[in-house]
Amino acid sequence: MEEGKGVPQSHVRELEGERPKPGFGAKLKAHFRRWWWLHLIFFIASTLIIVLCVVYVAFPRISQDGVNDSTLEIQSLTLSNPASDSFHLEQTALLTNHNNYHPRLDAFNASLSVGGSEDKPFAYVELPAVHATETATTHIDQDVQIVNLDAFIDYNTQLWTKNSVDLVVKGRTKLHEMRLPTTTVDYHKTLNLQGFNGIPGFNVTSFSIKLTPEPDGANMIGTVYIPNPTVLTLTMGNVTFNNFVENEFIGTSLLSDLVLTPGNNTIPMRSIVNQTLVIEKVTETYKDGLLPIDIVCNSSVYNGQHLEYFEKALQSNRQHIVLNVGAALAALGGDGPTS
């Protein structure tokens, strides 16, 4: 039988014209062979957009969050060379960075204010540049101008009368991290400082009465104990106090060249008192010889200038002590307490 006999010619032509249809994979390969350049452009553009978003949007936010999460602890603060409108500040603080990256912060000008009164800064200080490693120490040593005396008086009053006071530090600076673009961050920290809490423990630990006044007029010499639970060292100049018994003025006391340091302070005291009035009080009213005395700050003077921020703060912190005047008089062989 001859090959091809019995097969219709039309079927033969159909079979010869058929080709297998390409599958999805083949179509995909063909598409990429033709349009590879377009996909490459899309990939590069998408990657660039993502990188730019990270660098210029996410990184500044991450940087700000890192600054917000950091902590600043004042380890020592010394106020010296005070004037009516300025003082010298020396401060050491510990910066703790809780993040894995360690940026550098430029030096910047920061405002100082009391918590709750951030719109009324009392001074500005230059905070130094710092490399924010896990822990970093910063040091300030500069003259500071008081720009709002009322606000500084408020700060000192809270410092002397309360257990703690909030000190707000605000500013804006540049942050650098490796080769990433420099970004601007806001620095806003509230530092809780230990206060004097009304000076519990303030006392006249010893004194003696002088029947003949010394050349400066002092007729009672003693020592005053002033505890300082803070990290502050304060130069306060010559501090004078008015002394009262039942609101009746009996004399003044002077603490010369007063410098309070952290811890216990024992300060020489020189007083000019109305001895006649004191003896009258002891012999007629306080016959046990124990004289209750209210002590109110009168002035704080350094280099001839009144330090109003100390004066008003101390005036709001009235002290009360009891002096054994009877024992002091008995030591003189004078009029002691009677029964």
Side-chain angles (χ1 to χ4, degrees), residues 116-132:
S117 300
E118 297 179 24
D119 58 334
K120 299 176 182 177
F122 58 77
Y124 292 87
V125 296
E126 183 76 11
L127 295 185
V130 62
H131 184 196

Side-chain angles (χ1 to χ4, degrees), residues 105-215:
L105 298 176
D106 288 347
F108 65 99
N109 199 36
S111 65
L112 304 179
S113 59
V114 181
S117 300
E118 297 179 24
D119 58 334
K120 299 176 182 177
F122 58 77
Y124 292 87
V125 296
E126 183 76 11
L127 295 185
V130 62
H131 184 196
T133 54
E134 184 175 347
T135 57
T137 300
T138 64
H139 188 70
I140 295 173
D141 189 356
Q142 59 193 256
D143 291 328
V144 178
Q145 194 73 23
I146 300 170
V147 298
N148 187 324
L149 181 59
D150 289 338
F152 194 45
I153 289 173
D154 181 36
Y155 162 75
N156 279 281
T157 299
Q158 292 192 40
L159 182 69
W160 282 93
T161 59
K162 294 184 176 182
N163 183 57
S164 64
V165 58
D166 286 337
L167 177 64
V168 180
V169 182
K170 289 179 63 177
R172 178 169 289 186
T173 186
K174 300 291 186 181
L175 181 146
H176 310 271
E177 174 63 11
M178 298 190 299
R179 295 187 177 182
L180 292 170
T182 299
T183 185
T184 300
V185 292
D186 291 320
Y187 194 87
H188 187 177
K189 294 295 175 186
T190 299
L191 312 180
N192 186 256
L193 299 181
Q194 174 71 44
F196 287 90
N197 198 29
I199 327 181
F202 176 94
N203 198 16
V204 175
T205 55
S206 64
F207 72 98
S208 61
I209 295 174
K210 304 291 184 179
L211 294 179
T212 301
E214 297 196 350

Side-chain angles (χ1 to χ4, degrees), residues 59-72:
F59 176 65
R61 292 179 180 176
I62 293 171
S63 299
Q64 186 64 62
D65 289 342
V67 171
N68 294 343
D69 290 341
S70 67
T71 58
L72 185 67

Side-chain angles (χ1 to χ4, degrees), residues 36-52:
W36 64 270
W37 56 273
L38 185 60
H39 286 278
L40 179 60
I41 293 174
F42 177 78
F43 173 77
I44 293 174
S46 300
T47 302
L48 184 60
I49 291 172
I50 293 172
V51 170
L52 289 175

